[in-house]
């Protein structure tokens, strides 16, 4: 992923108003982020509102930003869930259902799209082995890391398409 500026990020959001995009908090470490090459998307949580997260990815037409809201509810400690993007499993609250309002009139009418995602939004790092999941979190696969990255990007692109259309 190419490095993004604050302007790039704020103007990329497709499922919130321009005013909301101007007010949303940016990642605390944005200026110090030095592992852009390891990211397929930039994801962060709103520290002042734990149920809100944001995700920005590159597409052919430029960066696309999404506002996400995680579903409330306590997941069992013994239950494991799998991320729909990177296929990493986590115990307890390590995976959460995040919903994103659809872009345009459908979103203003309250329509949204949901997806189970790693709660820390570090899918790119799990796939590349740069961040370790809990034991049993990453299964041995016959796919190469590059193929797993392509699958992650394809899953993410399919999610974005559902939001845009």
């Amino acid at each position: 992923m190419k490095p993004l500026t604050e302007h790039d990020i704020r103007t990329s959001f497709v499922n919130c108003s321009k005013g909301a995009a101007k007010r949303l908090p940016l990642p605390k470490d944005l200026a110090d982020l030095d592992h852009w090459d390891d990211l397929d998307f930039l994801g962060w949580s709103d520290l002042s509102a734990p149920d809100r997260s944001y995700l920005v990815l590159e597409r052919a037409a430029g960066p696309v930003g999404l506002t996400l809201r995680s579903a409330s509810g306590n997941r069992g400690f013994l239950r494991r869930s799998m991320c729909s993007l990177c296929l990493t499993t986590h115990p307890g609250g390590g995976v959460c259902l995040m919903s994103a309002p659809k872009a345009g009139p459908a979103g203003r009418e309250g329509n949204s799209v949901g997806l189970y995602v790693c709660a820390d939004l570090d899918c790119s790092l799990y796939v590349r082995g740069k961040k370790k999941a809990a034991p049993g979190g990453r299964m041995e696969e016959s796919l190469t890391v590059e193929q797993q990255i392509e699958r992650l990007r394809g899953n993410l692109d399919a999610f974005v398409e559902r939001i845009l259309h």
Side-chain angles (χ1 to χ4, degrees), residues 16-73:
C16 69
S17 69
K18 289 181 182 181
K22 285 182 184 179
R23 292 186 302 273
L24 63 84
L26 295 176
K28 286 179 110 178
D29 61 347
L30 181 64
D32 301 325
L33 195 61
D34 61 356
H35 62 277
W36 289 98
D37 290 342
D38 293 329
L39 298 178
D40 301 296
F41 63 88
L42 176 64
W44 69 100
S45 296
D46 187 336
L47 299 177
S48 64
D51 65 331
R52 290 190 204 139
S53 297
Y54 310 96
L55 187 145
V56 179
L57 68 143
E58 286 184 75
R59 296 200 66 193
V64 173
L66 304 172
T67 61
L68 305 169
R69 182 158 283 198
S70 59
S72 61

Side-chain angles (χ1 to χ4, degrees), residues 72-154:
S72 61
N74 227 352
R75 298 195 65 110
F77 234 177
L78 300 176
R79 179 178 219 153
R80 295 186 72 84
S81 299
M82 181 180 283
C83 173
S84 299
L85 294 178
C86 66
L87 306 185
T88 301
T89 59
H90 298 277
V95 171
C96 63
L97 175 62
M98 292 198 185
S99 63
K102 290 188 76 127
R108 289 189 290 278
E109 291 174 7
N111 296 321
S112 62
V113 177
L115 187 72
Y116 285 97
V117 183
C118 294
D120 59 10
L121 297 170
D122 281 339
C123 302
S124 300
L125 301 179
Y126 290 123
V127 167
R128 288 169 173 78
K130 305 266 181 178
K131 186 171 183 179
K132 298 293 181 200
R138 293 287 303 161
M139 293 178 238
E140 189 72 31
E141 293 194 62
S142 59
L143 298 177
T144 65
V145 172
E146 290 76 24
Q147 290 170 323
Q148 292 176 50
I149 291 168
E150 283 305 311
R151 180 182 59 204
L152 165 65
R153 290 177 181 168

